[in-house]
Amino acid sequence: HVQLVESGGGSVQAGGSLKLTCTDSPTLGRSYCMGWFRQVPGKDREGVAAIDSDGDTGYADSAKGRFTISHDRAKNTLYLQMNSLKPEDTAYCYCAADGSRLPPSQLLLSKKYTYWGQGTQVTVS
């Protein structure tokens, strides 16, 4: 059973930075995908950034050039560095994982992920 625990959310002014962290369990396996998703009330959960076990990444257009996803396999930790934050980045953010690699076209599809963390709030004012 994979357990994901997010941290690093908070409140920041526009233009600022936050780094989200997600610790995962070592039972994820050798082939996997991990991603960050976010949701605001009344809207569907959207993919922000994802990475697979080969290091291939995918980003939402809104995240390109501002966010960077990385995974430290030795520490079982997923990161999302968010820079130049905007008020529209305000959302509840979730870490997700799946025990298989996904094609690039599916990396940011929430329905493809099996395991989810509890989430952390990001507020940009």
Side-chain angles (χ1 to χ4, degrees):
H1 180 68
V2 176
Q3 291 185 313
L4 305 173
V5 180
E6 303 97 333
S7 61
S11 297
V12 66
Q13 291 189 338
S17 299
L18 282 174
K19 187 172 186 177
L20 302 183
T21 299
C22 173
T23 55
D24 64 271
S25 60
T27 57
L28 195 55
R30 299 183 65 181
S31 293
Y32 58 85
C33 285
M34 297 192 74
W36 289 97
F37 295 79
R38 65 187 181 186
Q39 190 168 22
V40 297
K43 292 189 176 182
D44 292 336
R45 192 171 296 185
E46 66 169 354
V48 177
I51 187 168
D52 68 18
S53 45
D54 282 357
D56 295 326
T57 58
Y59 292 91
D61 288 344
S62 59
K64 289 178 181 176
R66 300 189 299 130
F67 296 179
T68 302
I69 190 170
S70 60
H71 186 225
D72 187 331
R73 193 70 175 105
K75 295 182 178 180
N76 297 314
T77 303
L78 180 73
Y79 303 97
L80 183 68
Q81 177 67 48
M82 303 185 294
N83 298 327
S84 302
L85 284 162
K86 306 173 182 180
E88 51 263 44
D89 292 317
T90 295
Y92 206 74
C93 295
Y94 298 90
C95 171
D98 193 81
S100 61
R101 290 186 61 215
L102 295 169
S105 61
Q106 297 181 13
L107 269 177
L108 298 180
L109 296 180
S110 59
K111 63 182 180 181
K112 294 294 184 179
Y113 288 77
T114 303
Y115 306 103
W116 291 86
Q118 293 300 307
T120 185
Q121 177 69 38
V122 170
T123 301
V124 185
S125 59

